[in-house]
Amino acid sequence: VVKNFLSRLAPEVSIFARHEDGGTLCKGRLDGFIRGETPIIVELKTTRDASTAAFSREILKRGYYKKAAWYRMLLHQMRISPVEFWFIAVEKSDRPRVNVRRLADRAMDKGDLDNDDAMNLLKQCKMANFWPELPDAQLPGSTPEIPFIDLPDFAYGASVDELVGMTEISEDKET
């Protein structure tokens, strides 16, 4: 299957389109693209474990499904749809295993929802001219108070006496 993909693959394809919101210019860089009756986006990934179960978890952890949805959206804007998204997962080892899998459409649908949330946050940031450093930072005016951040509970010990004992310097006297 991999050899068949690689023989028809156009590598490193850049795509540009306007987002459905009408103004935002968006871009993507496909690892590979196969034109055909149903176009195929090909993404090559190295991984510790290319098994289907392990790589499925990696797709979620690293947000690869969002990237797939993003590319699908860009191609749709370019009047290329429907498309399929395929991964070639290659293990990083002396004897690497290779796993080729098509990403489920429902995974890309979830990616669309997550990407929509990100685009809405971008729109809010542009309107407020506020760019939070962290994803959970509050936009101005969204909350009347600033929440506290504290140390994890284990840092305080079980009691104040335990903390005092941890901070006092014991003096050993030599006799």
Side-chain angles (χ1 to χ4, degrees):
V1 175
V2 174
K3 186 177 180 179
N4 184 22
F5 267 5
L6 296 178
S7 69
R8 301 183 298 143
L9 188 78
E12 298 294 327
V13 176
S14 296
I15 54 177
F16 302 88
R18 295 244 176 238
H19 189 265
E20 295 164 344
D21 68 10
T24 307
L25 182 60
C26 304
K27 64 181 179 175
R29 179 85 169 176
L30 313 178
D31 285 351
F33 186 67
I34 299 172
R35 285 202 173 268
E37 187 175 319
T38 302
I40 299 171
I41 301 166
V42 179
E43 189 78 6
L44 178 64
K45 294 294 181 192
T46 56
T47 183
R48 284 190 212 169
D49 185 350
S51 69
T52 300
F55 193 65
S56 173
R57 289 188 297 275
E58 194 155 332
I59 290 169
L60 175 64
K61 177 183 171 186
R62 298 188 183 277
Y64 295 154
Y65 68 99
K66 296 177 204 177
K67 186 178 187 181
W70 186 256
Y71 292 167
R72 180 177 70 170
M73 179 273 300
L74 291 175
L75 289 170
H76 177 75
Q77 293 295 1
M78 297 169 63
R79 308 286 190 257
I80 301 172
S81 67
V83 297
E84 294 178 359
F85 194 95
W86 290 71
F87 286 104
I88 302 174
V90 180
E91 286 183 346
K92 299 179 208 174
S93 68
D94 294 337
R95 298 192 59 177
R97 294 183 300 168
V98 177
N99 192 0
V100 178
R101 291 287 183 260
R102 178 181 170 195
L103 184 63
D105 289 339
R106 73 183 196 153
M108 286 188 284
D109 293 344
K110 177 173 176 18
D112 285 334
L113 296 173
D114 292 351
N115 290 344
D116 286 347
D117 289 345
M119 290 301 292
N120 286 334
L121 177 59
L122 174 65
K123 183 178 179 180
Q124 290 176 5
C125 290
K126 283 181 176 180
M127 288 175 32
N129 194 26
F130 177 77
W131 304 92
E133 292 180 29
L134 300 172
D136 61 351
Q138 298 291 319
L139 288 168
S142 63
T143 179
E145 59 188 63
I146 297 173
F148 286 102
I149 188 168
D150 199 354
L151 300 174
D153 289 338
F154 69 82
Y156 293 105
S159 68
V160 173
D161 293 335
E162 187 177 330
L163 281 176
V164 169
M166 289 171 41
T167 59
E168 292 177 351
I169 299 173
S170 62
E171 295 179 19
D172 292 335
K173 294 184 180 180
E174 293 183 25
T175 54

